[in-house]
Amino acid sequence: MLLYLFISCFSIIFFIKSLTLKPLPPWATEMRLLSPWFRKDVSFFLSSRLIKNILGLGYFTTVVSKMSLKKMSFTSKVDNFEEVEESAMSILDLPDLVLECILERLPPAALCSMAGVCSSLRSRCISDHFWEKHMKKKWGRIIGPAAYREWQWHIALRTRKDSSHLKQGKPKGLMRVLSIVRPSWWIKSKVDDSSKQCSLPDDSIMSWFLALETGRFWFPAQVYNRENGHVGFMLSCYDAELSYDPRTDTFQARYPPHGRRAVAIENYVPWERLRAPPFDTSPHDLHISDCLNELRPGDNIEIQWRRNKEFPYGWWYGVVGHLESCDGNDNYCRCHNSDTVVLEFNQYTAGSRWRRATINRKEHREEGNEADGFYGGIRKLCSEEEISTWKCLWPSEILE
């Protein structure tokens, strides 16, 4: 008798629990952080839906009341109900091409709002076709192959965790009794979290966009003038892991440890000081230069430099200078014919040991010593945008 009462009570509890509303998927709650104008989009959407529902409910109530007064037959009620349904215009009634053109013009927050309306619109709005444009427009300048590879590893790790979560033993003790009363309860408790995630595929571009936009995903990139423009890093660019802060529209940067130096963290890094790595290589790898024979005085370059062999390389801005034997006259300059290439870093004073460096055009690999550091590979800057970025970061005072 006691066991029967116990089973009956739990059956009622589980039945009541099954009537509760299901929570929104995680990506729906994260949409709040997409942009400052998210509330405006959602408010407009909810208001329009509320007005439409009120008007539709009032019209439907009027029709039903008239039908009851006239004592219409069941068949006539069904016909009138279908007429009411057919008279309501929906956005899904638009031709596919027209609907696609509308969705293509929506900003990310509005596209997320549309995805929360119904399953039909959700399947359209989460399409990579729409999100690829938004990803390229906002994140394309600082997202490179290394960041994409990191995201693939992130997906694989999360998938592995979800699968291991499902591979658990059979219920024991009290849970075994409950599973007999309601077998689906034990299964639901195991797969509930993964079923929510399935509403938005992990490998979709929208999922990646939301992970970047909300700051949940740390990705590799490079930072100009690291550590708030520390004097020791002026006109340099170093690798770091970044996380976006949507509240301030800036980034948090984590610089990897090297030597005795611990992890350095910098907050409020603006977009202007970020870029995607120019090469998909480790910051400890020497870049093999392929432009040495092309270098002439006046060319803008970046060169790898590190304090010692335990440190990662950073990219430093400089220009190709003239040999001491050359007076700088372009009509008589033959510096480009010499095997020696002079590199100038004009952010330093003329007497500074960091002002000039020389490399061998034919045999250059890594040159330097523990006192002055080590110079690595060179890349010639041909893009006016890159050159302009470096010049905008020029220090206000000449460095010693």
Side-chain angles (χ1 to χ4, degrees):
M1 183 66 181
L2 182 61
L3 178 61
Y4 176 77
L5 178 63
F6 179 76
I7 294 175
S8 301
C9 292
F10 272 93
S11 300
I12 295 173
I13 293 174
F14 293 140
F15 174 72
I16 295 174
K17 184 178 178 182
S18 66
L19 297 178
T20 59
L21 295 175
K22 294 182 179 180
L24 291 173
W27 61 266
T29 59
E30 291 171 354
M31 294 188 304
R32 300 176 299 175
L33 303 176
L34 278 181
S35 65
W37 32 263
F38 174 80
R39 292 186 180 87
K40 180 180 69 175
D41 291 339
V42 175
S43 300
F44 175 77
F45 170 73
L46 292 178
S47 301
S48 61
R49 290 286 295 180
L50 182 60
I51 293 172
K52 181 179 178 180
N53 291 339
I54 292 174
L55 294 176
L57 181 60
Y59 181 75
F60 180 74
T61 305
T62 304
V63 173
V64 173
S65 62
K66 290 182 178 179
M67 289 191 297
S68 61
L69 291 175
K70 294 181 179 180
K71 298 181 180 180
M72 299 179 69
S73 63
F74 177 76
T75 305
S76 63
K77 290 180 180 180
V78 174
D79 293 340
N80 278 273
F81 181 77
E82 291 178 351
E83 290 177 3
V84 173
E85 288 294 317
E86 292 177 358
S87 64
M89 180 64 179
S90 170
I91 190 174
L92 295 176
D93 296 330
L94 295 173
D96 290 343
L97 183 58
V98 176
L99 181 57
E100 183 174 339
C101 290
I102 293 174
L103 296 178
E104 280 183 344
R105 285 163 174 75
L106 292 180
L111 199 58
C112 283
S113 300
M114 293 290 287
V117 173
C118 63
S119 59
S120 179
L121 281 175
R122 180 170 63 250
S123 62
R124 293 173 179 267
C125 293
I126 67 175
S127 171
D128 289 350
H129 170 70
F130 299 118
W131 287 96
E132 187 175 6
K133 178 188 67 175
H134 296 303
M135 176 66 76
K136 184 177 181 181
K137 180 179 179 180
K138 182 166 186 177
W139 297 97
R141 192 178 64 84
I142 63 176
I143 292 293
Y148 179 74
R149 187 167 56 251
E150 191 74 21
W151 173 247
Q152 295 299 314
W153 290 340
H154 177 77
I155 294 175
L157 181 61
R158 186 161 59 183
T159 304
R160 187 181 304 171
K161 287 182 178 180
D162 291 341
S163 61
S164 63
H165 177 70
L166 295 176
K167 294 179 181 178
Q168 295 185 4
K170 296 181 178 179
K172 299 179 180 179
L174 176 61
M175 304 306 294
R176 183 175 181 84
V177 175
L178 298 180
S179 65
I180 295 174
V181 176
R182 188 179 178 187
S184 61
W185 179 83
W186 174 260
I187 300 175
K188 180 181 178 181
S189 65
K190 296 297 181 184
V191 302
D192 184 60
D193 291 337
S194 60
S195 63
K196 293 177 185 176
Q197 298 290 344
C198 291
S199 59
L200 184 61
D202 286 338
D203 59 350
S204 66
I205 298 180
M206 178 181 177
S207 179
W208 190 16
F209 187 94
L210 291 177
L212 290 168
E213 195 77 11
T214 55
R216 292 186 293 106
F217 175 62
W218 290 77
F219 62 95
Q222 291 185 345
V223 182
Y224 293 100
N225 293 356
R226 59 175 283 181
E227 299 182 33
N228 294 309
H230 187 282
V231 66
F233 298 103
M234 292 300 294
L235 290 189
S236 68
C237 197
Y238 277 80
D239 287 74
E241 288 186 336
L242 300 172
S243 173
Y244 179 65
D245 184 356
R247 294 166 297 181
T248 60
D249 193 29
T250 59
F251 294 82
Q252 184 182 42
R254 293 191 307 210
Y255 302 101
H258 46 270
R260 298 180 179 179
R261 189 183 182 93
V263 175
I265 298 178
E266 181 182 356
N267 297 312
Y268 308 114
V269 181
W271 288 84
E272 295 77 16
R273 286 176 51 204
L274 302 178
R275 76 174 184 184
F279 303 103
D280 188 18
T281 57
S282 167
H284 291 272
D285 293 343
L286 176 68
H287 171 64
I288 305 302
S289 308
D290 58 358
C291 62
L292 296 179
N293 292 329
E294 305 172 5
L295 296 180
R296 293 172 172 266
D299 286 344
N300 296 269
I301 57 98
E302 291 179 13
I303 185 170
Q304 290 178 313
W305 183 87
R306 58 181 174 180
R307 169 65 69 178
N308 58 52
K309 300 217 181 234
E310 295 181 359
F311 282 42
Y313 285 112
W315 288 97
W316 293 72
Y317 173 73
V319 295
V320 179
H322 292 273
L323 298 171
E324 293 184 358
S325 58
C326 179
D327 60 2
N329 190 325
D330 294 337
N331 296 325
Y332 302 99
C333 178
R334 294 294 181 268
C335 295
H336 57 277
N337 294 328
S338 174
D339 291 342
T340 301
V341 179
V342 176
L343 305 177
E344 295 183 346
F345 306 95
N346 295 323
Q347 64 268 35
Y348 296 98
T349 59
S352 172
R353 62 172 178 165
W354 309 111
R355 174 70 179 234
R356 288 168 63 94
T358 58
I359 62 169
N360 188 290
R361 193 188 300 267
K362 293 183 177 180
E363 301 176 357
H364 175 66
R365 290 292 182 270
E366 183 182 57
E367 301 178 11
N369 52 61
E370 294 291 338
D372 298 329
F374 295 86
Y375 294 91
I378 298 176
R379 62 183 295 254
K380 180 180 177 180
L381 300 181
C382 301
S383 169
E384 290 296 331
E385 182 179 358
E386 283 189 294
I387 298 172
S388 176
T389 300
W390 281 112
K391 291 182 177 180
C392 289
L393 298 169
W394 199 268
S396 57
E397 297 180 358
I398 300 298
L399 307 177
E400 294 294 333

